[in-house]
Amino acid sequence: MSVILKQLLFQERTVLSATSLGREATSKPLYKKLRSSMTPGKKLQGLVAATVTPMTPDGQINLSVIRQYVDYLVGEQNVKNVFLNGTTGEGLSLNIQERKQLAEEWIHQGKDKLDHVIIHVGALSLPESQELARHAAAIGASGIAVIAPFFFRPANKDELTAFLQKIASEAPEVPFYYYHIPSLTGVKIRVEELLDGIKEQIPTFQGVKFSDTDLLDLAQCINKNEREQFAFLYGVDEQLLSALAIGANGAVGSTYNYLGRKTNLMLQAFAKPDLALARKYQFLTGEFLNFVIKLGFGVAQTKAVMTFVSGIPMGPPRLPLVDASEEFIIKAKAKLDSIMWPDGN
């Protein structure tokens, strides 16, 4: 548990363990103090790094490098928004205590450095997800996100909305985002359909992490919800430029951990607009991803890339995922080093 949270809990004379921080932690005095510790006024837009979870060689979460991780993202990649405990962060392979500890440390180390800390609180168990939502609210998260349940799946929009509402209501002052990734969840409910009337059911609803290649669905979402000013954050890094062209106002992705500065240059080129330059950056990102995908690319390999790019030891993934091979690391590093970016670096 972070120092800041310990101090606040002591001040409120609330005795709670790291594994049981629940409804009691959102008592009004404590809640207000924690929320004031990190609540930026900026709108969520631009790049959001889907963070990996650093681990020790024996597979325990490694909180000791989070400060260095924050400084690296801000200083080296010019990325000031993070999305914790998602797919890249192996969130669903972590237990509740680990997810809370990571969230606390990112909030603590990100204070006055990060603009937004979005915490993924989705779980297969509704009570666990609700507990994580309450905890995220208590420690001052900028927002919470929830993935669709994917073992017993919702069959339609109403069932999915009911599930999301039960979680969002546990953090009634925290912006809520739906994490749409049908390739992993198998939940094919179109986001366009989900968003119809969503504010009536979930007043805190603020947007979608849209990790799907169905740009028609994304376009309809954006076109039909202009008045709501939702954040549409695209989650397929190699297709970001296409999503920007139809109105996405940001992106959440793993490559922004190590290609954040390059992708920010693409965003700047798109805004000018200098589409030819923006395409060059997108094509080169795609060239690298196309190369590593053919080698076999997932969370374990992302951790390996982050380790050799940042110099921060990210450690192994948690089983059933296995470490990236030495061959992958050598080839991926050589490929990344060989790319000639338009900015000359």
Side-chain angles (χ1 to χ4, degrees):
M1 184 178 291
S2 68
V3 173
I4 187 172
L5 188 58
K6 284 182 179 178
Q7 291 173 340
L8 289 167
L9 290 174
F10 178 77
Q11 290 167 6
E12 291 301 315
R13 301 179 185 276
T14 304
V15 181
L16 292 169
S17 70
T19 57
S20 65
L21 184 58
R23 290 186 185 277
E24 297 90 340
T26 56
S27 61
K28 288 185 179 180
L30 173 60
Y31 183 79
K32 288 179 180 178
K33 287 186 179 182
L34 285 165
R35 289 294 296 160
S36 65
S37 70
M38 184 177 177
T39 306
K42 294 183 179 180
K43 180 181 179 181
L44 180 58
Q45 58 187 357
L47 297 185
V48 183
T51 58
V52 303
T53 294
M55 292 188 180
T56 61
D58 63 350
Q60 302 302 307
I61 60 171
N62 185 5
L63 301 177
S64 68
V65 300
I66 300 299
R67 180 175 182 177
Q68 187 181 359
Y69 197 164
V70 170
D71 290 342
Y72 163 80
L73 287 176
V74 174
E76 299 297 324
Q77 296 301 332
N78 193 26
V79 173
K80 296 184 178 182
N81 307 306
V82 294
F83 185 95
L84 310 181
N85 294 337
T87 304
T88 303
E90 303 174 79
L92 291 165
S93 293
L94 306 175
N95 64 37
I96 295 296
Q97 181 177 357
E98 289 173 325
R99 292 175 71 170
K100 288 180 178 181
Q101 290 173 331
L102 280 163
E104 290 168 15
E105 193 66 17
W106 275 95
I107 291 286
H108 176 51
Q109 298 298 343
K111 186 176 184 295
D112 300 325
K113 296 178 182 179
L114 297 173
D115 289 339
H116 293 275
V117 176
I118 309 300
I119 302 175
H120 174 242
V121 300
L124 294 182
S125 161
L126 177 59
E128 287 185 359
S129 193
Q130 290 173 315
E131 181 179 346
L132 288 169
R134 292 192 294 271
H135 177 264
I139 64 173
S142 311
I144 58 173
V146 174
I147 198 171
F150 52 86
F151 189 80
F152 295 116
R153 300 186 184 101
N156 54 52
K157 166 195 169 179
D158 292 341
E159 292 179 5
L160 177 56
T161 301
F163 179 82
L164 300 177
Q165 190 278 332
K166 287 290 187 181
I167 300 165
S169 64
E170 297 294 323
E173 296 184 37
V174 182
F176 181 89
Y177 300 87
Y178 172 53
Y179 180 9
H180 179 61
I181 185 165
S183 61
L184 290 183
T185 64
V187 177
K188 307 292 187 181
I189 299 164
R190 290 173 64 81
V191 181
E192 174 197 359
E193 181 184 359
L194 178 69
L195 295 189
D196 185 17
I198 192 75
K199 273 283 197 178
E200 297 172 8
Q201 302 295 320
I202 305 175
T204 54
F205 189 89
Q206 290 294 311
V208 181
K209 179 184 186 296
F210 194 101
S211 297
D212 188 24
T213 57
D214 187 351
L215 291 176
L216 175 59
D217 188 17
L218 177 62
Q220 291 301 302
C221 290
I222 294 169
N223 184 47
K224 292 183 176 182
N225 292 279
E226 286 185 291
R227 292 183 180 180
E228 297 290 353
Q229 296 186 326
F230 291 147
F232 290 101
L233 307 168
Y234 197 57
V236 184
D237 302 9
E238 60 270 30
Q239 295 182 357
L240 175 55
L241 187 56
S242 299
L244 293 175
I246 59 174
N249 45 18
V252 181
S254 60
T255 64
Y256 313 136
N257 284 287
Y258 53 89
L259 291 177
R261 188 169 292 277
K262 303 303 182 186
T263 308
N264 269 315
L265 291 173
M266 184 185 82
L267 296 184
Q268 292 172 20
F270 177 77
K272 281 185 178 180
D274 185 343
L275 294 182
L277 180 59
R279 280 197 296 269
K280 286 181 182 179
Y281 280 105
Q282 184 71 95
F283 289 159
L284 290 172
T285 296
E287 180 182 328
F288 174 71
L289 290 175
N290 188 50
F291 178 82
V292 292
I293 286 170
K294 289 177 180 178
L295 296 176
F297 191 63
V299 171
Q301 290 72 27
T302 296
K303 294 184 102 167
V305 172
M306 261 299 285
T307 297
F308 71 67
V309 173
S310 70
I312 304 169
M314 294 300 170
R318 182 162 288 177
L319 289 169
L321 303 180
V322 296
D323 259 330
S325 67
E326 190 63 31
E327 179 185 11
F328 171 87
I329 294 171
I330 292 170
K331 288 183 176 180
K333 187 176 188 304
K335 179 62 179 177
L336 194 56
D337 289 344
S338 73
I339 293 177
M340 300 298 295
W341 299 93
D343 63 334
N345 296 317

